Amino acid sequence: MNKQDTTYLDQLEAEAIHILREVAGQFEKPALLFSGGKDSITLVRLAEKAFRPGKFPFPLVHIDTGHNFPETITYRDKMIDRLGEKLIVGYVQDSIDQGKVIEQKGKNASRNALQTVTLLDTIAANKFDACIGGARRDEEKARAKERIFSVRDEFGQWDPKRQRPELWNVYNGKIHKGENVRVFPISNWTELDVWNYIRREEIELPSIYFAHQRDVITRNGQLMAAAEFLNMDEQDVIANKNVRFRTVGDMTCTAAVESDAFLIDDIIEEIKASKISERGARMDDKVSEAAMEDRKKGGYF
């Protein structure tokens, strides 16, 4: 990596650290939403740079669908042990048991959409007034409409018409009672920026990001990890392939890509050659043209 690239990453890092410190200064009960994916892992590294040697001024919050990749949960627990920070877990299964959501049926059933209710309940129960997340503008069209400080109403809903201007890195965190703010410190980063930063910082990631042999099935034209959650039947033919995952989510909606990228440098070259965004591997984004925006208006992160 040349000096110019390093300077660019330094600028992105400085902006993100500034945003994290703004959150700590402006809000009473912030939280960092942690999925076990590379973007939230990057946020944790940025939080270490922003607040160490002190403790984080917020807990980490994971919304557990119950259909996670085992490698992600193993990584999460190992990371929390290393950090010594507080982890709060909201369980989608609890929302199902309480009758607040109804589990989907059928071959393409997924719990991914159900986690919105669990997230909003977790925010309310802990009285969080700001939730930090790893969303980026390059991921998806609805993400590109977000401000870095994105205000949500008392029902957790996002209204694109209520977006606030953000000029000269001045962020307005003033909210009314019941409202909260979703904060995106790496909003201006790209997928390639994240991987270059991970390489520079030598950040450990869950193994599913790297090419590995895995049993998969082909569903709706996508390679899905063969798991009991997928409601497989006799039409689903299991094959063992070299795959990796560009994004991490519920196993029922996160597709793999065939890959021989075993090292970070290989992944970076693969991303440079790709013409499909990482969200192209998320089945839940293919429901409709405005699938992501509709979920965001309903309270999704």
Side-chain angles (χ1 to χ4, degrees):
M1 184 177 297
N2 61 41
K3 184 176 181 180
Q4 183 178 2
D5 291 333
T6 303
T7 301
Y8 177 59
L9 288 179
D10 287 340
Q11 291 172 345
L12 290 175
E13 179 188 75
E15 178 189 52
I17 289 173
H18 169 68
I19 293 166
L20 287 170
R21 289 173 175 167
E22 282 290 304
V23 171
Q26 292 196 43
F27 297 96
E28 294 182 4
K29 292 203 68 177
L32 191 155
L33 298 186
F34 183 80
S35 68
K38 68 183 186 310
D39 299 308
S40 58
I41 291 168
T42 296
L43 285 179
V44 170
R45 172 56 58 86
L46 291 165
E48 289 184 273
K49 292 198 171 190
F51 303 112
R52 289 293 189 242
K55 299 282 286 184
F56 291 177
F58 40 68
L60 277 65
V61 175
H62 181 215
I63 303 303
D64 187 346
T65 66
H67 293 170
N68 298 288
F69 288 92
E71 297 95 329
T72 305
I73 300 301
T74 299
Y75 179 94
R76 179 199 71 185
D77 294 342
K78 180 181 175 183
M79 186 198 71
I80 290 297
D81 286 342
R82 175 182 67 81
L83 291 172
E85 298 291 344
K86 182 178 181 180
L87 173 69
I88 296 172
V89 182
Y91 295 96
V92 170
Q93 185 62 54
D94 289 345
S95 299
I96 295 171
D97 294 342
Q98 294 163 7
K100 293 181 176 180
V101 294
I102 299 175
E103 189 151 20
Q104 296 177 357
K105 305 294 183 183
K107 196 165 185 176
N108 294 313
S110 172
R111 287 186 174 183
N112 197 55
L114 306 185
Q115 65 183 314
T116 296
V117 171
T118 311
L119 171 61
L120 294 177
D121 283 350
T122 302
I123 291 172
N126 292 278
K127 296 181 172 58
F128 294 134
D129 53 1
C131 293
I132 304 161
R136 307 186 323 269
R137 290 191 175 112
D138 74 321
E139 289 182 272
E140 200 271 343
K141 288 183 291 186
R143 298 284 201 205
K145 295 180 181 180
E146 291 270 22
R147 298 292 191 268
I148 289 174
F149 274 30
S150 179
V151 178
R152 305 299 175 104
D153 66 20
E154 63 270 27
F155 303 106
Q157 297 174 327
W158 174 71
D159 182 356
K161 296 179 181 179
R162 294 184 63 217
Q163 294 289 289
R164 296 170 175 176
E166 291 179 337
L167 306 173
W168 307 292
N169 291 333
V170 176
Y171 305 106
N172 181 359
K174 292 183 178 179
I175 54 175
H176 296 103
K177 184 177 180 180
E179 294 179 334
N180 65 81
V181 173
R182 311 291 171 89
V183 180
F184 306 111
I186 61 172
S187 183
N188 291 328
W189 298 37
T190 66
E191 181 185 12
L192 193 57
D193 293 333
V194 172
W195 277 105
N196 279 324
Y197 189 75
I198 288 168
R199 177 172 62 180
R200 188 185 84 171
E201 297 293 312
E202 298 181 346
I203 300 173
E204 182 183 356
L205 294 176
S207 59
I208 59 174
Y209 276 109
F210 300 89
H212 59 285
Q213 286 194 328
R214 197 180 201 103
D215 286 341
V216 295
I217 63 170
T218 300
R219 180 169 292 180
N220 302 321
Q222 302 261 37
L223 293 175
M224 308 293 292
E228 57 181 322
F229 314 128
L230 266 65
N231 298 329
M232 293 186 292
D233 57 31
E234 63 278 359
Q235 295 180 339
D236 292 312
V237 179
I238 297 177
N240 191 268
K241 295 180 180 290
N242 263 359
V243 300
R244 74 176 192 88
F245 295 84
R246 289 178 67 185
T247 180
V248 172
D250 189 297
M251 290 184 75
T252 58
C253 67
T254 305
V257 294
E258 286 196 78
S259 174
D260 292 318
F262 298 98
L263 303 172
I264 286 185
D265 286 348
D266 300 329
I267 291 173
I268 288 173
E269 291 305 312
E270 189 176 87
I271 293 169
K272 287 179 179 178
S274 177
K275 296 182 179 179
I276 300 174
S277 79
E278 62 200 291
R279 295 292 303 195
R282 292 292 290 270
M283 301 292 289
D284 50 327
D285 288 346
K286 299 180 182 296
V287 175
S288 72
E289 183 73 15
M292 171 65 80
E293 185 158 334
D294 289 342
R295 291 201 305 279
K296 285 162 61 65
K297 288 179 179 178
Y300 183 77
F301 190 72

